[in-house]
Amino acid sequence: MEADANAKSYDEVSGPQIEAGSQFIRELNLSLGDKVLDMGCGTGHLTKYIADIVGPDGQAVGIDPDAERIKIAEEKSKEVGNLQFCVGSSVIGFPHDTEPYYDVHISTNAYHWVPDDEKRITYRKHIDIPGDNGNVEKIGIYTLTQEGYRDMFQEVGLFNNVVVDAPIYPYRYESFEEFKRWFKATTRQDVETTKSEDLLKKFVTTEDDGQVTFKVPCIRISACKN
Ligand SMILES: C[S@@+](CC[C@H](N)C(=O)[O-])C[C@H]1O[C@@H](n2cnc3c(N)ncnc32)[C@H](O)[C@@H]1O
């Protein structure tokens, strides 16, 4: 029941991160007819956005390990033929995860939730590093730094057009209450916990009119397989 409420709450207050994610997706210049995997799709806002871009000859497949979020995504997308959702992950599996099928793999606001040992599997599956444990092992060292990701992609050597940057996306909320609700829904923690104190001081500002801005430091990676 708590998972259910959390998924619903998440669906209602995730607007600012959807905005950042859709900006990233626009920059990828997807084509009509592309088949796109959206890993960690949550309640599917951005998967639907992708389905609209790739059109009826394309396909958007949203995967998330959280069954309640997938349930909401499915309920909202019943009428859309080129959009599917499935409970899964790189570890649990997902449709077509053992064959070359998708033109593009996308993951927004999700990779930081993948545990480090799963990150390796994620890279193997999504980036298809052919059995080279040397390269894969190094991924653990390079957790969430811009230079680290750039070096790793270059070392792997399977890609061209690797772009890694570290934009700061301002997520805006009408009030501190709304920000708190989003924070709880996405992290499953209360913002008042001591762990978050530093985050509040560093990244969160409240304007005179009560609006809250959360300046989110992101790592944005795009790469094409050779
Ligand atoms: C903040 S939401 C992002 C949703 C959506 N992609 C967006 O940008 O709005 C992060 C999602 O990652 C999912 N997630 C957590 N662990 C994951 C894993 N190991 N593999 C894939 N997704 C995972 C969560 O269930 C959650 O729905």
Side-chain angles (χ1 to χ4, degrees), residues 154-204:
Q154 274 158 9
E155 278 170 35
V156 167
L158 289 172
F159 302 96
N160 55 67
N161 295 338
V162 178
V163 180
V164 184
D165 59 1
I168 295 196
Y169 282 110
Y171 289 10
R172 294 206 173 80
Y173 300 87
E174 285 305 310
S175 63
F176 196 73
E177 277 312 302
E178 192 184 304
F179 166 69
K180 262 172 70 172
R181 204 173 151 220
W182 168 78
F183 190 89
K184 172 86 179 176
T186 194
T187 66
R188 296 177 166 84
Q189 280 179 18
D190 289 315
V191 78
E192 288 89 356
T193 57
T194 35
K195 256 172 122 185
S196 314
E197 243 174 50
D198 207 32
L199 172 143
L200 286 179
K201 275 195 218 124
K202 263 168 117 172
F203 300 114
V204 179

Side-chain angles (χ1 to χ4, degrees), residues 50-95:
I50 294 165
D52 289 343
I53 296 174
V54 299
D57 293 335
Q59 192 186 7
V61 180
I63 308 294
D64 202 287
D66 185 330
E68 294 301 333
R69 291 186 183 186
I70 289 294
K71 201 166 106 193
I72 292 178
E74 280 174 334
E75 276 161 14
K76 291 194 308 189
S77 69
K78 278 183 188 135
E79 308 296 313
V80 190
N82 65 344
L83 179 58
Q84 278 91 44
F85 292 98
C86 190
V87 176
S89 73
S90 300
V91 173
I92 303 166
F94 54 87

Side-chain angles (χ1 to χ4, degrees), residues 10 14 17-22 25 38-47 63-67 69-70 88-92 106-115 118-119 122 126 171 182 185-188:
Y10 171 81
S14 56
Q17 77 187 46
I18 301 293
E19 230 173 273
S22 53
I25 289 164
D38 181 15
M39 178 52 75
C41 66
T43 53
H45 285 274
L46 289 172
T47 329
I63 308 294
D64 202 287
D66 185 330
R69 291 186 183 186
I70 289 294
S89 73
S90 300
V91 173
I92 303 166
I106 291 178
S107 189
T108 55
N109 303 304
Y111 194 62
H112 54 293
W113 294 117
V114 179
E118 278 191 36
K119 278 192 171 87
T122 301
H126 293 269
Y171 289 10
W182 168 78
T186 194
T187 66
R188 296 177 166 84

